[in-house]
Amino acid sequence: MIYIGIDLGGTAVKIGAVSASGQVLGKAEKPTRAERPYGEVIRDMAEGIREILGQLNLPEDQIAAIGVGVPGAVNNDTGYVTDCTNLGWMNTDFRGEMHRYFSCPVILENDANVAALAEAKVGISKGTHSSIMITLGTGVGSAIMMDGKLWTGSHGVAGEIGHMILVPDGVACNCGRMGCVERYCSATALAEQARHYSLTYADTMILQMAGGKKENITAKMVVDAAREGDRLGVQLFTNYCRYLAMTIDNVINFFDPEMIILGGGVSKAGDFLLKGVLSYIPAYVMGAERAGTRVVLATLGNDAGIIGAALLGLK
Amino acid sequence: MIYIGIDLGGTAVKIGAVSASGQVLGKAEKPTRAERPYGEVIRDMAEGIREILGQLNLPEDQIAAIGVGVPGAVNNDTGYVTDCTNLGWMNTDFRGEMHRYFSCPVILENDANVAALAEAKVGISKGTHSSIMITLGTGVGSAIMMDGKLWTGSHGVAGEIGHMILVPDGVACNCGRMGCVERYCSATALAEQARHYSLTYADTMILQMAGGKKENITAKMVVDAAREGDRLGVQLFTNYCRYLAMTIDNVINFFDPEMIILGGGVSKAGDFLLKGVLSYIPAYVMGAERAGTRVVLATLGNDAGIIGAALLGLK
């Protein structure tokens, strides 16, 4: 039997067949084009699954389950995506639509939870007592794992670390409030800050990398410029690391997990990010015991979403 | 059988005999006088226990266990109080000393955890799926309960909500860092702010209540003045509620508990506090589901420490 995992993103839908032990056996990818009716996106998913079955030369009844990681809120009782602003999906009957193509169990989960599950089952946090995975991408998400199980809260919405208030009355956030973690610690925030300050730092390497057009600036350019010692790049990245360290330290002070895992786009900065963040840990963590929490990088990379979604089917 | 609960505070040691169902059967109290050798404090505890046995006309062998709530860190494997700055107890052999007087099991726990346990077993959070108790006193502590059990973290030090960073680079804290929750949400902080601003608001009712001496100002005076509409009192208390709401909301956004319980000295302000805090919840909590977390006042009052400590013996 194989387990299908679907990583539903704003740009692409990644589909994979995974073994019970978490090994990726085959993959397919489709553009999301979220402006389409959701039925067309799910039709493309079904097509991707059939492509993989073809690659592996397996019949449909070898699929044990289909799991999907959604960048939003889901309800597994109804099989609906309840609120996914990024895709514009509200109360969308995902399971019902998928059942038009495949009759196996279809399980939905938030994408940050899915990535955390993957790391806890076959990645860096395997065997830990407790861990928090923080995803640094377009937004900032997190997932809480205890004793190998996800803690999703009393209303199924735990882990919204991106909307904890980091700076009272700080930068305005999409959510309508001010000073949220997401406005300081997401890839989006890092790129936005660079766009803003590139007006006054006209000689910055970041602007050169973007071909002189500030609207083309990405978070990766800021990180790369910081590595090269570019003045604006270093300032913005240092500030980013400091705010991320405060956020991590707040989680450690409150929850005292065994491990914190950094994933998502910005985590691709690797040891450069880790070193920058770790330098601020003693400044904000209370007491020596808490400093025992290990802060590490995610290890499963781009496949985490596929693997975690597939492993949802193992339950 | 009876369960002895000891609430070890900076000023007083409260001792109680409690039934297995959490009913307080008898009480005694001794001044702590923490400047004494710890052996003398524990000798007074033993004396208090004997007084209660006398009140109840029970022999010593009717004590099932002795539990103690400590305003600091403890180690139940060794029976030591490992770090209690308030009393100046560092690596203090509490259990060994208590066993000089009584041979029953002696269990130690942090005082915030003890109060949360009491509320969860016989108080307002009984039967909840998850709850966080926040203690607003000299400092700000918290305890995390899930499915009737305490979550103490991977290094036994979870719940240090008072030292989460609330205001980056904010007011300097005793812990050596800046902007900690404790500097905005403790009784101490509220009194300190009033002392500071009483210089410029010389006509404030708070200063009158303190007999004109700013060093006599307490948090209770600020709350009482706010109730009366005193300008400085209202400003400080409103600000206090706003910062406390941000802290509560950060916990809700991250952890999504079923209930948040406010205890400790400032919670005696009752509905006046609750109303002030609740008015800010929609401003900082992300999404309607999370707003389902109930924020309530502790119900066990002064006896919570005794009851919770005694119930430690039920394990």
Side-chain angles (χ1 to χ4, degrees), chain B residues 7 39 46 58 67 71 82 87 142 182 213 218 241 244 246 255 271 283 300:
Chain B
D7 179 0
L58 283 174
T82 50
L87 301 182
S142 80
E182 203 157 284
K213 289 185 175 162
T218 64
C241 289
L244 180 56
M246 274 187 214
F255 198 69
D271 285 337
L300 297 174

Side-chain angles (χ1 to χ4, degrees), chain B residues 255-274:
Chain B
F255 198 69
D256 182 23
E258 187 174 341
M259 186 180 278
I260 302 243
I261 306 140
L262 303 180
V266 183
S267 75
K268 291 182 186 160
D271 285 337
F272 188 55
L273 174 73
L274 201 57

Side-chain angles (χ1 to χ4, degrees), chain A residues 230-251:
Chain A
D230 175 76
R231 192 164 147 226
L232 179 60
V234 168
Q235 283 194 2
L236 294 179
F237 188 70
T238 304
N239 211 36
Y240 178 92
C241 289
R242 190 170 89 99
Y243 278 123
L244 180 56
M246 273 186 215
T247 303
I248 291 171
D249 295 347
N250 278 347
V251 167

Side-chain angles (χ1 to χ4, degrees), chain A residues 264-287:
Chain A
V266 183
S267 75
K268 291 181 186 160
D271 285 335
F272 187 56
L273 173 73
L274 202 56
K275 207 177 143 190
V277 169
L278 289 179
S279 68
Y280 286 108
I281 298 279
Y284 304 115
V285 161
M286 171 77 185

Side-chain angles (χ1 to χ4, degrees), chain A residues 73 82-83 129-130 132 142 144-147 151-161 163-169 175-178 242-243 246 249-259 282-287 289-294, chain B residues 73 82-83 129-130 132 142 144-147 151-161 163-169 175-178 242-243 246 249-259 282-287 289-294:
Chain A
T82 50
D83 183 354
H129 165 252
S130 57
I132 313 282
S142 81
I144 306 165
M145 298 281 311
M146 283 182 284
D147 299 325
W151 170 260
T152 56
S154 280
H155 311 87
V157 286
E160 201 62 79
I161 200 173
H163 295 281
M164 289 172 82
I165 306 293
L166 180 59
V167 179
D169 309 315
C175 72
R177 290 162 315 122
M178 291 193 292
R242 190 170 89 99
Y243 278 123
M246 273 186 215
D249 295 347
N250 278 347
V251 167
I252 295 177
N253 283 323
F254 176 67
F255 198 69
D256 182 24
E258 186 174 342
M259 186 180 278
Y284 304 115
V285 161
M286 171 77 185
E289 303 90 346
R290 268 172 217 95
T293 296
R294 288 176 59 202
Chain B
T82 50
D83 183 354
H129 166 251
S130 57
I132 313 281
S142 80
I144 306 166
M145 298 282 310
M146 283 183 284
D147 300 324
W151 170 261
T152 55
S154 280
H155 310 88
V157 287
E160 201 62 79
I161 202 175
H163 295 281
M164 290 173 81
I165 305 293
L166 179 59
V167 180
D169 310 316
C175 72
R177 292 161 316 121
M178 292 193 292
R242 191 170 88 98
Y243 278 124
M246 274 187 214
D249 295 348
N250 278 346
V251 166
I252 295 177
N253 283 324
F254 176 67
F255 198 69
D256 182 23
E258 187 174 341
M259 186 180 278
Y284 303 116
V285 160
M286 171 77 185
E289 302 90 349
R290 268 173 218 93
T293 296
R294 289 176 60 202

